[in-house]
Amino acid sequence: MHTSPPVPQLLHALEEFAARLTAVLSDPDIDWHWRPDEDSWSLAEVMCHMRDVEREVHLARYKAVISQEDPFLSGVTSDEWAEARGYHSQDGREAAGTFLSLRRQSLEKLRQLDYVQLERTGTHAFFGTTSLQELINLAVQHDQAHWQQIQELLPGPN
């Protein structure tokens, strides 16, 4: 994998995403189930995806790398979860709240670590040996990938 930004910068990005998300999702006029077209996700689906990825991918990987010696980190194709788990029929506001709670847990866990712990590694199914810092960077990139999508699903000018 390529060089990641410094950990403090990555943690700030994770926190900033959560703050921006909290602000934009406070709009009472959000139609959580509106889709711009049949091939796109609704905001409820995006938030269910973010919730499940935070819990089952990011947080699970952080915990594994912190607590195990060179754990295997399986690859995940989480986009398939939307249909399989019925994201469209779930409560988007509740999913967003759960995501934000999980993000706080992630940040609390990561902020407790020292430099040596942040350099711990695992073996990722797709990337091979990867450090905790690189995993945090993947979470930041995942947030960035969905930020534009989220903005496009909100009412009014974005």
Side-chain angles (χ1 to χ4, degrees):
M1 294 186 58
H2 65 283
T3 303
S4 298
V7 171
Q9 183 178 333
L10 293 172
L11 296 180
H12 178 75
L14 291 176
E15 187 173 45
E16 181 63 25
F17 177 80
R20 286 184 304 176
L21 191 62
T22 298
V24 299
L25 296 183
S26 66
D27 186 335
D29 296 326
I30 292 173
D31 180 350
W32 289 87
H33 296 284
W34 175 77
R35 291 176 172 165
D37 58 63
E38 65 183 40
D39 295 325
S40 298
W41 283 354
S42 67
L43 189 56
E45 290 167 303
V46 173
M47 292 317 310
C48 288
H49 168 80
M50 297 295 292
R51 173 201 63 204
D52 289 355
V53 168
E54 189 72 16
R55 177 177 29 227
E56 298 174 45
V57 179
H58 301 316
L59 193 51
R61 287 178 179 167
Y62 303 153
K63 288 178 180 178
V65 171
I66 292 165
S67 66
Q68 300 171 34
E69 192 62 38
D70 192 31
F72 177 76
L73 307 170
S74 61
V76 176
T77 51
S78 58
D79 288 359
E80 297 172 358
W81 295 347
E83 187 173 335
R85 297 179 180 190
Y87 285 173
H88 190 65
S89 64
Q90 293 186 35
D91 184 325
R93 191 172 300 280
E94 183 178 310
T98 302
F99 164 77
L100 291 166
S101 176
L102 291 163
R103 176 55 57 89
R104 281 190 296 276
Q105 289 177 40
S106 293
L107 287 165
E108 287 170 13
K109 179 167 284 303
L110 295 169
R111 285 199 171 106
Q112 295 173 10
L113 304 177
D114 62 28
Y115 176 78
V116 173
Q117 292 169 308
L118 289 165
E119 291 301 312
R120 290 181 59 86
T121 61
T123 302
H124 191 284
F126 301 145
F127 309 125
T129 300
T130 187
S131 70
L132 191 53
Q133 180 177 359
E134 290 169 331
L135 293 173
I136 299 167
N137 190 44
L138 287 175
V140 169
Q141 291 174 6
H142 184 254
D143 287 354
Q144 292 170 347
H146 287 290
W147 179 244
Q148 183 65 34
Q149 178 186 28
I150 290 166
Q151 290 183 302
E152 291 170 358
L153 293 169
L154 296 170
N158 297 310

Coordinates of all heavy atoms in Angstrom, one line a residue, residues 8 86 91 96 120 145 156:
P8 N -2.4 11.4 13.6 CA -3.2 12.5 14.1 C -4.1 13.1 13.0 O -5.3 13.4 13.2 CB -2.2 13.5 14.6 CG -1.0 12.7 15.0 CD -1.0 11.6 13.9
G86 N -31.4 -6.0 3.4 CA -32.6 -5.1 3.3 C -32.4 -3.7 3.8 O -33.3 -3.2 4.5
D91 N -34.4 1.9 9.0 CA -34.5 3.3 9.5 C -33.1 4.0 9.3 O -32.2 3.7 10.1 CB -34.9 3.3 10.9 CG -35.1 4.7 11.5 OD1 -34.4 5.6 11.1 OD2 -36.0 4.8 12.4
A96 N -27.7 6.0 11.0 CA -26.8 7.1 11.2 C -26.4 7.2 12.6 O -25.2 7.4 12.9 CB -27.4 8.4 10.6
R120 N 1.5 -1.7 14.5 CA 1.2 -3.2 14.5 C 0.6 -3.5 13.1 O 0.0 -2.6 12.5 CB 0.2 -3.6 15.6 CG 0.9 -3.5 17.0 CD -0.1 -3.9 18.0 NE -0.6 -5.3 17.9 CZ 0.0 -6.4 18.3 NH1 1.1 -6.3 19.0 NH2 -0.6 -7.6 18.1
A145 N -15.2 8.6 0.0 CA -15.9 8.0 -1.2 C -17.4 8.2 -1.1 O -18.1 8.3 -2.1 CB -15.5 6.5 -1.3
G156 N -32.3 20.3 -1.0 CA -31.8 21.7 -1.1 C -30.4 21.7 -1.8 O -29.8 20.7 -2.1

